[in-house]
Amino acid sequence: MTLSQEQVKQFWDNGYLVLPDFADEETVEGLKKECHRLVEEMDPAEHNTVFTTLEMKRTSDDYFMTSGDKIRYFFEDGNLKVNKHLSINKIGHALHVLSEPFKKFTFCDKQPGIGGEVIPHQDSSFLHTDPMKLVGFWIALEDATLENGCLWFIPGSHKEGIHCGRRMLRNPNKGEGESGTIFQGEMPKYNDKDFIPGPATANSRNAVPSLIFVIGTKH
């Protein structure tokens, strides 16, 4: 897949790019099946950790901070009230290495009624490098619509840098019982009127997944 000059310009101007028809239906079904298998074989008692962008509510910071080379599971709520398949917030962070279907998809030639609020934020608050060199990828395995909560963006907001300097950092003074991560900087304030939606289609007879490049997002 080759991006047109217009697509490249939109990405750098707006900070995101939606690519419809990015993967075929068979591939998407395979990834969804793999997610189901992983969760089915996972014991919630061994992976009882909550992930939220609002504040640190994890029951085990080490579980999160050492997940870079492991497949780990993060829930909406530490006390499961519904089926574990409906309680998962995210699966991370080494799916692309340790899961063969995701590895094949990542390194090939192309690339529920519960849960808390995901506040407006920039992903660079969590994925920060110096110099900045990371780009996020969101792949729609199901239709992401205005009705069910697609991503929303402020076009061009990435050019303003990390808003209010808010970043998630390792806690340099972590003591017993204290969080292993802290937020530095003020909570950003956004004007809801500045956001525009980025709906993305998933698998159907006439529509296959969209890929969204992300620099700054509201979920």
Side-chain angles (χ1 to χ4, degrees), residues 83-202:
N83 185 283
K84 62 181 179 179
H85 288 277
L86 301 177
S87 301
I88 287 289
N89 177 296
K90 63 183 293 186
I91 306 174
H93 286 96
L95 278 173
H96 62 294
V97 176
L98 300 179
S99 165
E100 284 303 317
F102 278 92
K103 183 176 182 179
K104 181 179 179 181
F105 183 76
T106 303
F107 292 103
C108 68
D109 293 335
K110 62 180 180 179
Q111 291 282 36
I114 63 170
E117 175 187 9
V118 178
I119 64 170
H121 68 280
Q122 291 177 313
D123 282 358
S124 51
S125 298
F126 302 90
L127 306 174
H128 183 83
T129 60
D130 186 12
M132 288 295 290
K133 58 182 179 182
L134 294 181
V135 175
F137 295 84
W138 287 83
I139 301 170
L141 299 185
E142 296 180 342
D143 287 345
T145 66
L146 292 174
E147 288 73 27
N148 67 11
C150 64
L151 294 175
W152 287 66
F153 308 90
I154 299 179
S157 60
H158 63 296
K159 298 177 182 179
E160 302 172 9
I162 299 179
H163 290 183
C164 304
R166 186 172 187 266
R167 291 167 50 192
M168 185 183 73
L169 307 171
R170 293 179 183 271
N171 186 351
N173 302 311
K174 182 182 183 303
E176 185 176 354
E178 295 182 343
S179 175
T181 56
I182 58 174
F183 278 108
Q184 181 183 75
E186 300 177 5
M187 184 77 72
K189 296 180 180 179
Y190 300 97
N191 187 337
D192 287 343
K193 295 181 180 179
D194 293 336
F195 286 93
I196 64 172
T201 57

